[in-house]
Amino acid sequence: ATFDAPQSQVRKALRRLVEEGYLDCLRSSGYFVREHHPKSARPRRVAFCVEADGGEYSREDFYTGSLFSRAAAFDLNLVVHPLPAEACERDALFMELLERGFEGFICFPHAMKEPFPALWESRKRGVPVIFWDYSPFQGIFPSVGVDHFQACFDAAGVLAKVGLPVTYIGFDVKEQNRLKFEGFKAGCEAFGVEADPPVLIPYAERFSPEALRERLGEEAGDKLFFTSTRLLTEALVGLMMDRGLMPGRDYRLLGTDMVKLLEGSSLLID
């Protein structure tokens, strides 16, 4: 059947179905019927705020997928809202969402540089602002996700069983990367792991594998590596494959996440 309805009316109807928990809206993919409609009569609407260009959001699909897969079980309706580039426009967006009755916010920490007025207003109203992975404003707004220090501390315990010197590969020690490196160092000391000089890559929004190639050098076979983030795990495995070296056969690797080597396939390195 064909309905003579304007696009604005269709978009409004789709947005209402998303906000009521019947549909999921994924950037660059479209609308999908939600597998499990939230159990409550009115699911709690939570704004999932991502950068407007989709750069970080598309790179973090592993994490956003876990958020969306668990939301229905807690009667949460996650609604994606792109964040404008300017802080004043972000403040206006948060205020608009507060006025529309949203009951929480989830954000990536790198998207927030300073706590603008609408964040303080959300605290006053008792509306939680949660940062995924770590909080850029410790003691002000909480975070959910991984305990980075403990995860890398425990990884050192696993590496101790191998009995080889290990090379830590991670981003330079800022924010959550500092917690990872400190946890790894503490774990090595606690479990008696011999650590080679670390390979620390300057963190940049647009990471290039060439940075890893330059710091790793040419001699990389017959070694044990620990990579603290999925992006560096993928870069290391790709670099080694270019040199004809395969994990498990030519070198050993402990990673912290699932990595995608080829389109449509993944490898869990742990």
Side-chain angles (χ1 to χ4, degrees), residues 138-157:
Q138 290 90 347
I140 304 175
F141 299 106
S143 63
V144 297
V146 177
D147 183 339
H148 296 293
F149 184 96
Q150 189 63 47
C152 292
F153 182 93
D154 293 342

Side-chain angles (χ1 to χ4, degrees), residues 104-167:
F105 300 91
I106 295 179
C107 314
F108 284 125
H110 50 254
M112 299 295 179
K113 306 304 180 185
E114 68 279 334
F116 41 74
L119 297 182
W120 298 115
E121 180 64 22
S122 69
R123 282 178 60 86
K124 187 193 307 183
R125 299 189 187 191
V127 176
V129 178
I130 305 295
F131 287 93
W132 179 247
D133 201 24
Y134 69 97
S135 176
F137 314 118
Q138 290 90 347
I140 304 175
F141 299 106
S143 63
V144 297
V146 177
D147 183 339
H148 296 293
F149 184 96
Q150 189 63 47
C152 292
F153 182 93
D154 293 342
V158 176
L159 294 166
K161 302 174 184 177
V162 181
L164 293 174
V166 58
T167 299

Side-chain angles (χ1 to χ4, degrees), residues 189-205:
E189 183 176 346
F191 296 107
V193 177
E194 181 183 352
D196 287 334
V199 176
L200 298 178
I201 311 297
Y203 184 79
E205 187 175 342

Side-chain angles (χ1 to χ4, degrees), residues 248-261:
R249 186 191 70 186
D250 303 299
Y251 65 97
R252 308 189 75 172
L253 169 64
L254 176 69
T256 56
D257 220 330
M258 185 175 291
V259 300
K260 182 164 66 174
L261 301 179

Side-chain angles (χ1 to χ4, degrees), residues 12-206:
K12 183 177 180 180
L14 288 171
R15 187 173 72 177
R16 181 175 179 181
L17 290 172
V18 169
E19 294 182 352
E20 291 180 356
Y22 290 98
L23 297 179
D24 282 324
C25 178
L26 304 180
R27 287 180 64 86
S28 305
S29 298
Y31 293 88
F32 299 87
V33 176
R34 179 165 292 181
E35 183 176 357
H36 301 291
H37 185 265
K39 296 186 290 291
S40 63
R42 190 187 68 82
R44 290 173 291 174
R45 288 189 302 162
V46 175
F48 182 44
C49 300
V50 299
E51 290 165 300
D53 62 4
E56 288 297 331
Y57 178 51
S58 62
R59 288 207 300 272
E60 300 286 352
D61 283 343
F62 180 86
Y63 301 106
T64 56
S66 66
L67 281 174
F68 278 96
S69 66
R70 289 168 173 78
F74 294 94
D75 289 343
L76 299 178
N77 179 28
L78 293 180
V79 183
V80 176
H81 288 276
L83 285 171
E86 299 297 328
C88 61
E89 295 176 351
R90 294 183 178 190
D91 186 64
L93 172 63
F94 272 67
M95 285 302 301
E96 177 191 345
L97 296 176
L98 282 171
E99 296 302 325
R100 287 170 53 187
F102 275 80
E103 299 169 82
F105 300 91
I106 295 179
C107 314
F108 284 125
H110 50 254
M112 299 295 179
K113 306 304 180 185
E114 68 279 334
F116 41 74
L119 297 182
W120 298 115
E121 180 64 22
S122 69
R123 282 178 60 86
K124 187 193 307 183
R125 299 189 187 191
V127 176
V129 178
I130 305 295
F131 287 93
W132 179 247
D133 201 24
Y134 69 97
S135 176
F137 314 118
Q138 290 90 347
I140 304 175
F141 299 106
S143 63
V144 297
V146 177
D147 183 339
H148 296 293
F149 184 96
Q150 189 63 47
C152 292
F153 182 93
D154 293 342
V158 176
L159 294 166
K161 302 174 184 177
V162 181
L164 293 174
V166 58
T167 299
Y168 175 94
I169 300 178
F171 288 116
D172 55 6
V173 286
K174 294 180 181 178
E175 300 171 337
Q176 86 274 31
N177 297 305
R178 177 182 61 81
L179 294 176
K180 293 178 180 181
F181 189 49
E182 293 299 327
F184 175 77
K185 289 195 299 182
C188 287
E189 183 176 346
F191 296 107
V193 177
E194 181 183 352
D196 287 334
V199 176
L200 298 178
I201 311 297
Y203 184 79
E205 187 175 342
R206 296 292 179 259

